[in-house]
């Protein structure tokens, strides 16, 4: 009878395996690289990161606008009771340059019965061409120059910040994928052991009918089936939550969120490709260059921008000395009509006596630099220690995975041996359930350990704050 029972176990287990294979063939594997490709291309945060680059370029364009040539026309006229009090036209063309110097061309035409004497010009108008310069404040650095320099640093900073933003969203998406994989593997594990428990319960029922087993053995077998079914149901809830969490990272091109379907499954062979997908393959600790880290790059560009601010504040300790000189002529077509005997010029000098505002601004600028320097030093050692810890953690996980694999194999061997003894009537259902419970716990622990190992790989990717170029 025990021989027929063993044959029955074999055929039912084979049928369950073939059913599982058929179900797997109907499923669609959603690979890790394909998933991250969708996240990087369509996720709103990834698009927001790309938008920051455009903001930096627009900010640079705005700063360059401070050096755009300008045309100004000022026309005013007053006429009352058939009397033309004045009709004044003043047109100016200005070209700002880098070092506090501005080139200027001007045309002035005034007429009327009540003009200010200094506004008298020839009937055909008066032309002037000249230059204005700041010899104190604004000579080597002014607000226009500072804005442009800071905009260039800000543009480079946005590239580094973009890498950080995309890296973070890819890291968060990776964690969701690993949790989905863990939940899916746990469901498959419980399904397999539920099938085994069901096969065993049916065999015990047949043995009861043949008079080889007691009714209490059937009760024990059914309890095991219910326990496995309960574990399966709980794992299915966990899988449903993990799939929904994964779906929050999946979008289409038109900002339409999508949801993972039941026939879509994760890639179980992810361990062989994760280094290649996350582009951390062949990346030893000795090749890690701390200064190339995007976070430090971003902070350094910010530091450079504050340096420009400090220079601007220091420049404001100088006196204001603005000079301007313009050649005057009635005939701009004749080059020799410009001479030093006809000109309009002047200067403006101003200097605060105590400079309290200027000195206070300079001190604040220095304090900001010092504060950011502390942040940079702290961030540098934090990144360095974090990367070092993750490398050490990955080394430990390799040993742990090897040990848990050996433990699972040993528990499997013990269960198989116990089932053989049971088929010969030399064991009990209690011992088989006990062996199987230990095997289930070890396999779940192995699944959890695999999840931690994959997350450690993702943490290494996240700690480097790198973008993925091959997606």
């Amino acid at each position: 009878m025990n021989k027929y029972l063993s044959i029955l176990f074999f055929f039912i287990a084979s049928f369950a395996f073939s059913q599982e294979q058929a179900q797997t063939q109907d499923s669609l594997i959603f690979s890790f690289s394909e998933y991250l490709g969708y996240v990087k291309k369509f996720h709103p945060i990834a698009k927001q990161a790309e938008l920051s680059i455009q903001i930096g370029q627009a900010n640079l364009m705005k700063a360059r606008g401070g050096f755009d040539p300008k045309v100004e026309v000022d026309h005013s006229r007053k006429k009352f009771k058939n009397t033309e009090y004045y009709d004044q036209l003043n047109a100016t063309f200005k070209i700002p340059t880098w070092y506090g110097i501005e080139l200027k061309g001007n045309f002035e035409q005034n007429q009327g019965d009540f003009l200010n004497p200094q506004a008298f010009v020839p009937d055909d108008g008066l032309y002037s061409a000249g230059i204005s310069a700041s010899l104190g404040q604004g000579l080597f650095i002014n607000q226009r120059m500072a804005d442009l320099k800071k905009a260039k640093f800000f543009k480079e900073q946005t590239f580094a910040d973009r890498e950080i933003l995309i890296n973070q969203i890819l890291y968060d998406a990776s964690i969701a994928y690993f949790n989905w994989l863990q939940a899916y593997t746990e469901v498959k594990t419980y399904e397999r052991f539920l099938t085994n428990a069901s096969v065993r319960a049916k065999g015990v029922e047949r043995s009861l009918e043949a008079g080889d087993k007691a009714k209490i053995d059937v009760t024990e077998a059914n309890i095991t089936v219910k326990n496995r079914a309960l574990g399966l149901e709980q794992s299915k809830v966990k899988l449903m939550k993990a799939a929904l969490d994964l779906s929050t990272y999946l979008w289409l091109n038109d900002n339409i969120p999508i949801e993972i379907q039941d026939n879509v499954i994760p890639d179980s062979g992810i361990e062989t490709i994760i280094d290649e997908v996350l582009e951390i393959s062949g990346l030893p600790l000795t090749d890690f260059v701390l200064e190339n880290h995007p976070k430090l790059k971003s902070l350094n560009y910010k530091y450079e921008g504050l340096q420009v601010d400090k220079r601007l504040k220091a420049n404001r300790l100088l006196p204001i000395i603005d000079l301007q000189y313009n050649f005057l002529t009635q005939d701009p077509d004749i080059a020799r009509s410009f001479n030093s005997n006809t000109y309009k010029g002047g200067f403006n000098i101003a200097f605060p006596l105590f400079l309290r505002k200027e000195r206070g601004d300079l001190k604040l600028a220095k304090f900001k630099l010092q504060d950011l320097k502390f942040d940079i030093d702290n961030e540098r050692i934090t990144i360095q220690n974090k990367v070092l810890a993750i490398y050490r953690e990955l080394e430990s996980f390799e040993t742990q995975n090897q040990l848990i694999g050996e433990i699972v194999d040993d528990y499997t061997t013990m269960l198989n041996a116990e089932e053989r003894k049971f088929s010969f009537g030399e064991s009990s259902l209690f011992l088989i359930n006990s062996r199987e419970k230990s095997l289930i716990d070890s396999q779940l622990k192995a699944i959890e350990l695999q999840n931690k190992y994959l997350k450690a790989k993702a943490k290494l990717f996240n700690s480097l704050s790198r973008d993925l170029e091959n997606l």
Side-chain angles (χ1 to χ4, degrees):
M1 182 65 192
N2 288 330
K3 177 181 178 182
Y4 294 119
L5 185 62
S6 300
I7 296 173
L8 177 65
F9 282 176
F10 173 77
F11 278 110
I12 296 178
S14 300
F15 175 75
F17 179 76
S18 62
Q19 288 292 101
E20 183 178 347
Q21 287 291 99
Q23 183 180 2
T24 303
Q25 291 175 358
D26 293 337
S27 302
L28 298 175
I29 297 178
F30 193 20
S31 70
F32 184 52
S33 60
E34 184 181 6
Y35 164 69
L36 289 185
Y38 272 99
V39 174
K40 181 179 177 181
K41 189 172 183 180
F42 299 121
H43 196 278
I45 299 297
K47 291 183 178 181
Q48 187 180 27
E50 297 295 339
L51 188 63
S52 67
I53 300 295
Q54 300 178 26
I55 292 174
Q57 293 172 342
N59 193 60
L60 180 60
M61 179 187 296
K62 176 184 175 181
R64 284 174 173 163
F67 294 90
D68 288 346
K70 296 180 181 179
V71 175
E72 299 177 0
V73 178
D74 182 11
H75 182 215
S76 60
R77 184 180 185 185
K78 181 179 179 181
K79 190 172 183 180
F80 183 67
K81 293 184 178 180
N82 297 325
T83 301
E84 186 176 56
Y85 282 69
Y86 58 82
D87 187 347
Q88 295 179 294
L89 174 65
N90 195 325
T92 306
F93 178 69
K94 299 178 181 179
I95 304 177
T97 62
W98 184 251
Y99 287 108
I101 298 174
E102 188 174 74
L103 305 178
K104 182 169 65 173
N106 180 264
F107 172 74
E108 186 178 2
Q109 188 176 42
N110 305 319
Q111 60 186 15
D113 297 334
F114 297 98
L115 280 178
N116 190 318
Q118 70 174 8
F120 289 153
V121 295
D123 292 340
D124 292 334
L126 184 65
Y127 296 87
S128 66
I131 186 173
S132 62
S134 298
L135 301 183
Q137 287 187 27
L139 178 59
F140 296 109
I141 186 169
N142 52 43
Q143 191 64 54
R144 286 198 306 257
M145 296 164 62
D147 288 344
L148 182 55
K149 286 183 176 181
K150 288 193 294 183
K152 289 180 179 179
F153 289 131
F154 178 72
K155 179 185 175 184
E156 296 300 324
Q157 184 181 348
T158 57
F159 282 103
D161 291 340
R162 168 190 170 276
E163 284 192 61
I164 296 172
L165 280 173
I166 290 183
N167 177 275
Q168 185 62 42
I169 190 62
L170 291 177
Y171 167 75
D172 294 338
S174 299
I175 298 300
Y177 189 93
F178 301 151
N179 290 336
W180 181 45
L181 172 62
Q182 179 184 6
Y184 172 79
T185 310
E186 288 179 357
V187 167
K188 290 302 174 183
T189 300
Y190 277 111
E191 285 179 349
R192 185 168 64 254
F193 284 105
L194 175 59
T195 301
N196 293 343
S198 299
V199 169
R200 196 175 300 120
K202 291 179 181 179
V204 172
E205 288 176 359
R206 290 180 180 273
S207 297
L208 175 64
E209 293 173 358
D212 292 339
K213 295 293 181 182
K215 190 173 182 180
I216 192 66
D217 292 327
V218 176
T219 302
E220 183 177 359
N222 289 333
I223 290 174
T224 302
V225 171
K226 293 174 183 177
N227 278 328
R228 301 292 182 264
L230 177 62
L232 176 59
E233 194 62 29
Q234 291 173 340
S235 64
K236 284 182 177 179
V237 173
K238 183 178 178 181
L239 176 61
M240 178 268 295
K241 291 181 178 179
L244 288 176
D245 185 36
L246 185 82
S247 298
T248 60
Y249 296 95
L250 291 176
W251 296 72
L252 294 180
N253 193 25
D254 297 326
N255 294 331
I256 300 174
I258 57 178
E259 185 175 330
I260 289 291
Q261 300 301 309
D262 293 337
N263 65 326
V264 179
I265 62 175
D267 183 5
S268 300
I270 190 175
E271 284 192 34
T272 60
I273 62 168
I274 184 171
D275 286 358
E276 182 180 351
V277 174
L278 295 181
E279 298 178 13
I280 55 175
S281 177
L283 192 64
L285 184 59
T286 53
D287 291 348
F288 174 59
V289 181
L290 190 60
E291 296 304 322
N292 290 339
H293 195 279
K295 182 64 176 179
L296 290 180
K297 282 185 176 180
S298 177
L299 289 174
N300 285 329
Y301 286 128
K302 184 178 179 180
Y303 187 85
E304 294 293 338
L306 291 180
Q307 284 275 33
V308 174
D309 264 338
K310 191 194 79 168
R311 286 182 56 200
L312 181 62
K313 299 296 192 299
N315 182 262
R316 287 174 179 168
L317 295 176
L318 299 175
I320 297 174
I321 305 176
D322 294 334
L323 304 178
Q324 60 173 325
Y325 186 88
N326 297 275
F327 293 101
L328 302 177
T329 181
Q330 292 180 257
D331 304 307
D333 296 334
I334 304 175
R336 62 176 179 273
S337 64
F338 291 97
N339 61 73
S340 59
N341 293 326
T342 56
Y343 68 89
K344 179 175 67 174
F347 65 89
N348 176 40
I349 298 177
F351 186 69
L353 295 180
F354 299 111
L355 293 173
R356 284 181 291 194
K357 179 179 181 300
E358 290 75 11
R359 287 187 288 119
D361 285 342
L362 180 58
K363 284 185 178 182
L364 289 174
K366 290 180 178 179
F367 290 149
K368 287 181 180 180
L369 279 170
Q370 190 176 10
D371 182 66
L372 184 57
K373 185 66 166 60
F374 291 146
D375 283 343
I376 293 174
D377 292 340
N378 178 68
E379 193 67 33
R380 181 180 286 108
I381 194 66
T382 300
I383 293 172
Q384 180 177 324
N385 290 341
K386 184 177 180 181
V387 172
L388 180 62
I390 293 173
Y391 271 102
R392 299 291 181 262
E393 186 180 10
L394 286 171
E395 292 175 359
S396 175
F397 273 128
E398 291 177 0
T399 303
Q400 293 179 50
N401 282 328
Q402 181 179 355
L403 290 174
I404 194 64
E406 294 174 357
I407 292 173
V408 170
D409 291 340
D410 291 342
Y411 274 125
T412 302
T413 301
M414 293 181 67
L415 176 61
N416 292 337
E418 204 66 47
E419 286 179 338
R420 282 196 301 271
K421 290 170 64 177
F422 179 75
S423 66
F424 298 139
E426 298 176 0
S427 182
S428 66
L429 194 61
F430 173 79
L431 287 176
I432 289 181
N433 290 336
S434 177
R435 300 293 189 195
E436 191 176 63
K437 178 65 168 58
S438 298
L439 177 59
I440 293 173
D441 291 341
S442 64
Q443 287 194 345
L444 293 178
K445 192 171 183 179
I447 295 170
E448 181 184 2
L449 197 59
Q450 182 202 40
N451 180 266
K452 291 181 179 179
Y453 177 69
L454 295 175
K455 286 181 178 180
K457 291 279 189 179
K459 282 196 293 184
L460 176 60
F461 165 71
N462 182 241
S463 66
L464 300 177
S465 290
R466 299 171 61 181
D467 187 10
L468 297 179
E469 302 295 337
N470 298 325
L471 289 181

